[in-house]
Amino acid sequence: MSRSWERSRGRHRPRRRVGLRTLHRRTLAKLLAVGVIVAALAAGGATAFASDSVRNAIAGNLVGADRGPGDDAGRGAGEIRQPAVAPVLTTMPPAGATGTGPRDAVGTTVTGGQLRDVALRNADGEAVQGALAPDGRTWTATEPLGYGSTYRWSGSWVRDDGTVTPLTGQFGTLDPARTARATMNIGDGATVGVGAPVIITFDRTLTDKAKADVERALSVRTSRKVEGAWAWLPDTADGSRVHYRPRTYWPAHTTVTVDAPLYGMDLGAAGYAAKDLSSTFTVGRSQIVKADAQSHQLVVVRDGKTVQTFDASYGKESDPRRVTRSGTHVVMGKSQKVLMTNRDYGYVDLPQYWAVRISNNGEFIHANPASASSQGNSNVTHGCVNLSTADARSYFGSAVFGDPVEVVGTTQELTAADGDIYDWAITWADWKSMSALARAS
């Protein structure tokens, strides 16, 4: 052998054909990995790559096929190297946004490091309540924002490497062209009777969608188990109204909390809701009036026991316009003196005393000395329940809003034509069907 051959020994290899069987196993593995990547991209796989990243990953695998055992120590065969992702800060809504809703999600978050001294203030410098997550990476507003205001961020972002970046930026909230106001009939801390409905009234007419959205937001919590439901009664000229009543009378001595977080809600053509409503009230003792037009008596039952029985006169049966309506009324209010008017029957601003209103069609339980001779034996009134002055005054002192007055024995039934509160004249099945959510389903 020549010396040149000796010097090349160990470094020279005869050329030979390269086939699949002789391909280096690591190279084959990497080519297969590349094939998987390409196939995944072609099939619209869930993992997304930027085009440059894909090309780099493929190139890296091909180069790795020619590397020796010592190259890239510790790296597994076919591993795709991902570039380091820089931490980012995100605010929601984004800086410069306008028209943000008062109840839209508002907050800021970082993917690395922690937030410090975060505050969100309106144009008057008032801070929005918010909460910082335990890991310090997310701050979330916990109260609705105001209408038509500009909000500015402050605070800082401290990265893991110690770099401090100020938290800045601002955004604006919507300024609605119109708002809808709502009121609740039972105030905080009130005591009511066992038949009291909860009534929320809007000063604008709501669409079916808006009614369903409102109903989803409403909640009723009770200290005792109660089955109840919301129902939308017919709209009036003043707007829309939704009532809540239990299936049967409230249990006595129940605490009820009603929450209506309406502020900021988009009510469609009615505008945006102007404020939240809430009330916690107590159902007091059970007092139910049994008013029997056939026996000409009125009986007061308190907590299951009869406590008062009065002679009474009801509406004259021979005149359908004067008949006292049968059905469950509720006490709506009371006044020591009421001026009553019915021009068709010849009286205007006639004073009546110790008057307890039981419907909005003109029905009261009140004193009327003029019908004293008929009380207990015949019905001669214009629809009211007449008592003696002493009896009317005695009953007046015990009556509270929501006490049921169950009238029986007349030829006319209580209906929607008789005023705002006829809730107990509606069957439970029909009541539930009047839910906006039931109609939407």
Side-chain angles (χ1 to χ4, degrees):
M1 296 183 184
S2 66
R3 296 179 63 88
S4 60
W5 174 257
E6 285 288 343
R7 284 195 296 270
S8 66
R9 191 173 59 173
R11 294 186 292 113
H12 174 74
R13 296 289 187 273
R15 294 184 63 185
R16 55 182 176 179
R17 296 177 182 174
V18 179
L20 181 61
R21 295 181 59 185
T22 60
L23 199 62
H24 195 285
R25 290 184 179 178
R26 287 182 59 189
T27 301
L28 177 58
K30 293 185 180 291
L31 286 175
L32 287 175
V34 172
V36 170
I37 295 170
V38 174
L41 291 172
T47 304
F49 297 89
S51 58
D52 288 343
S53 298
V54 173
R55 286 193 292 268
N56 291 339
I58 294 173
N61 275 281
L62 290 177
V63 170
D66 291 333
R67 290 177 180 167
D71 294 335
D72 294 327
R75 179 174 295 164
E79 181 179 346
I80 299 174
R81 293 166 296 163
Q82 297 289 350
V85 178
V88 295
L89 180 148
T90 305
T91 58
M92 185 169 56
T98 59
T100 300
R103 289 190 177 275
D104 289 353
V106 174
T108 183
T109 186
V110 294
T111 59
Q114 289 189 327
L115 294 165
R116 300 280 176 82
D117 303 321
V118 175
L120 180 65
R121 301 180 186 276
N122 63 14
D124 296 327
E126 298 172 338
V128 176
Q129 294 180 12
L132 185 66
D135 63 4
R137 295 189 176 188
T138 301
W139 185 94
T140 305
T142 56
E143 66 173 335
L145 305 183
Y147 288 123
S149 185
T150 298
Y151 287 83
R152 292 178 173 83
W153 291 103
S154 65
S156 60
W157 168 29
V158 182
R159 305 192 193 191
D160 293 333
D161 63 3
T163 303
V164 178
T165 301
L167 180 58
T168 60
Q170 65 181 45
F171 63 90
T173 55
L174 63 86
D175 190 4
R178 65 192 315 195
T179 56
R181 295 188 176 275
T183 56
M184 193 183 306
N185 67 321
I186 303 177
D188 213 33
T191 298
V192 301
V194 296
V198 177
I199 304 173
I200 297 176
T201 304
F202 293 83
D203 65 353
R204 298 188 186 278
T205 300
L206 306 187
T207 63
D208 289 343
K209 179 182 181 305
K211 289 178 179 179
D213 289 342
V214 166
E215 194 174 330
R216 288 187 188 95
L218 303 178
S219 67
V220 178
R221 303 189 307 276
T222 56
S223 60
R224 301 183 182 207
K225 186 176 181 180
V226 175
E227 180 184 1
W230 292 98
W232 291 86
L233 275 68
D235 294 334
T236 67
D238 297 326
S240 297
R241 57 196 173 128
V242 61
H243 291 210
Y244 183 95
R245 53 155 270 210
R247 181 171 186 170
T248 57
Y249 296 148
W250 297 102
H253 312 296
T254 297
T255 300
V256 182
T257 297
V258 181
D259 283 317
L262 304 175
Y263 171 77
M265 183 177 293
D266 184 355
L267 300 177
Y272 283 78
K275 65 177 183 178
D276 292 336
L277 298 174
S278 66
S279 178
T280 296
F281 59 89
T282 301
V283 178
R285 82 287 178 269
S286 171
Q287 178 163 297
I288 301 170
V289 172
K290 306 286 187 177
D292 188 348
Q294 295 299 310
S295 69
H296 314 293
Q297 289 191 325
L298 184 145
V299 177
V300 180
V301 179
R302 188 177 303 146
D303 294 325
K305 297 180 180 179
T306 298
V307 295
Q308 292 173 315
T309 300
F310 305 122
D311 289 338
S313 180
Y314 294 83
K316 189 176 180 67
E317 281 287 334
S318 61
D319 184 350
R321 297 176 60 192
R322 295 171 60 177
V323 176
T324 306
R325 292 338 191 213
S326 285
T328 301
H329 305 58
V330 297
V331 170
M332 300 175 64
K334 61 184 182 179
S335 179
Q336 291 185 24
K337 178 182 177 179
V338 173
L339 299 179
M340 296 189 180
T341 297
N342 192 326
R343 288 182 171 84
D344 291 345
Y345 291 93
Y347 58 92
V348 176
D349 290 341
L350 180 67
Q352 299 293 337
Y353 297 91
W354 308 111
V356 176
R357 181 185 287 275
I358 60 173
S359 79
N360 273 344
N361 68 354
E363 292 177 325
F364 288 81
I365 301 172
H366 67 90
N368 189 353
S371 68
S373 62
S374 298
Q375 293 166 17
N377 59 75
S378 60
N379 297 325
V380 300
T381 80
H382 287 85
C384 292
V385 182
N386 286 181
L387 305 177
S388 70
T389 299
D391 289 347
R393 182 172 183 173
S394 177
Y395 168 66
F396 180 96
S398 69
V400 300
F401 169 74
D403 283 345
V405 178
E406 300 174 352
V407 179
V408 297
T410 74
T411 59
Q412 302 291 325
E413 294 292 326
L414 181 70
T415 69
D418 294 306
D420 297 336
I421 301 179
Y422 55 96
D423 302 29
W424 295 102
I426 303 171
T427 67
W428 182 242
D430 288 343
W431 183 266
K432 291 193 296 181
S433 73
M434 294 163 65
S435 159
L437 298 180
R439 292 197 297 266
S441 61

